[in-house]
Each structure stands twice: as C-alpha cells, then as structure tokens.
Amino acid sequence: MSEVIDELRELYQALIIDHGTKPKNFRKSLDASAYAEGFNPLCGDRCELYLKIENQHITDACFQGQGCAISVASASLLTESIIQKSVTDALALFNQFQNFMTSEDECDVDLGKLTALSGVRTFPTRIKCATLAWHTLKAALEQDNAPVSTE
Ligand code: ZN
C-alpha cells in the first residue's frame, strides 16, 4: 500500500513540476470579459487571471504572473479545469478545492488532476500558494475588481 502512495506522490510531484515550469494557458488575453489579479504576500506570488465568459460559460481562461512552482502549477491546473465549465460549476469547484486544501478529510468529489496539489496540505504556509489562483478566479467571476490578497 505504501508503495502505491509513494508512486502517487511521485506522479503528483511530476505533474506539479510539469505545470509549474511549463504552465498551460500562460498568456494574456485581449478579449477577456472578466479579469482579476491576486497577490500572496507570504510568498510573493502574483496571478493575473483572464476569463472569457459567454452565455454564463467560461469559454477561455488564461493567466500571467510570477510566483513559486506551486502557485504557477495551481493556476495552470485551474485554467485547464474551468474551461468549458459554467460559471456556477466553476464557483462550485472553487468551494470544493478550497475545502480539499484546508481540511484533513479525503475529498469525496473527484477533483481530477487537482488532487496532485494534495501534498501541499502538509505545508500550511504553501496552501496560500495553491489557493491564490482560485481566490483570483472567484473575484473574477464575481466581477470584484479589488485586487485579491490572501492576507
Ligand atoms: Zn508561493
């Protein structure tokens, strides 16, 4: 059993390194309909998130910014997870992910690749790195233009 967990851990690490060094959807959008920026002063991570929302569906999502591998990987995974989702489903996913990152319990919803960030939960100071993009997402969806700070 522990071998399986070790293998999973390695797989997760590889996924985070992959997304952290070669993030997906890492670009600026010129026709975004929603935008928000977030800052995590604990680590210095910055995230600028662009969304294109049509008929209450997210048809495109991309981000720019700089930060540690965890924050970049999380933002990259976020954009992959929300494209083609409805605004309602994306907000539900925010809540599920937030619960997943801040509770000890196993998650009863399938978060797919986002599960790779589970290892971060053992490092409380890095949880904000992983949730920054998600708080930024929430602000963008709610059209809240005040910059997000995780502090
Ligand atoms: Zn960070």
Side-chain angles (χ1 to χ4, degrees):
M1 188 61 196
S2 69
E3 259 176 46
V4 175
I5 290 173
D6 282 348
E7 265 177 40
L8 267 180
R9 206 164 276 158
E10 273 171 36
L11 207 73
Y12 285 171
Q13 255 166 22
L15 193 75
I16 289 176
I17 291 166
D18 189 40
H19 278 265
T21 52
K22 289 173 288 180
K24 309 282 189 299
N25 303 309
F26 189 78
R27 56 189 154 85
K28 212 175 195 134
S29 169
L30 297 175
D31 62 348
S33 49
Y35 168 82
E37 50 184 275
F39 177 52
N40 171 19
L42 270 183
C43 183
D45 309 316
R46 285 181 189 281
C47 176
E48 297 164 26
L49 186 69
Y50 303 84
L51 304 175
K52 191 168 183 189
I53 301 171
E54 293 167 296
N55 298 323
Q56 289 300 304
H57 276 74
I58 299 166
T59 54
D60 192 24
C62 57
F63 76 105
Q64 289 220 301
Q66 46 186 310
C68 65
I70 294 170
S71 70
V72 173
S74 182
S76 171
L77 288 163
L78 173 144
T79 57
E80 279 201 330
S81 317
I82 60 166
I83 292 174
Q84 301 307 336
K85 274 203 166 48
S86 69
V87 168
T88 314
D89 287 351
L91 280 171
L93 190 62
F94 162 82
N95 285 321
Q96 286 160 355
F97 183 73
Q98 177 76 0
N99 284 341
F100 172 67
M101 290 307 291
T102 52
S103 85
E104 299 279 300
D105 309 332
E106 281 309 309
C107 187
D108 51 1
V109 278
D110 183 11
L111 288 171
K113 283 184 186 175
L114 298 175
T115 316
L117 291 159
S118 62
V120 177
R121 295 187 298 180
T122 43
F123 305 98
T125 54
R126 309 311 295 272
I127 290 175
K128 285 182 175 170
C129 301
T131 54
L132 173 67
W134 291 84
H135 286 287
T136 311
L137 167 71
K138 190 164 185 273
L141 290 176
E142 291 174 350
Q143 306 284 341
D144 179 355
N145 291 323
V148 177
S149 174
T150 53
E151 272 308 78

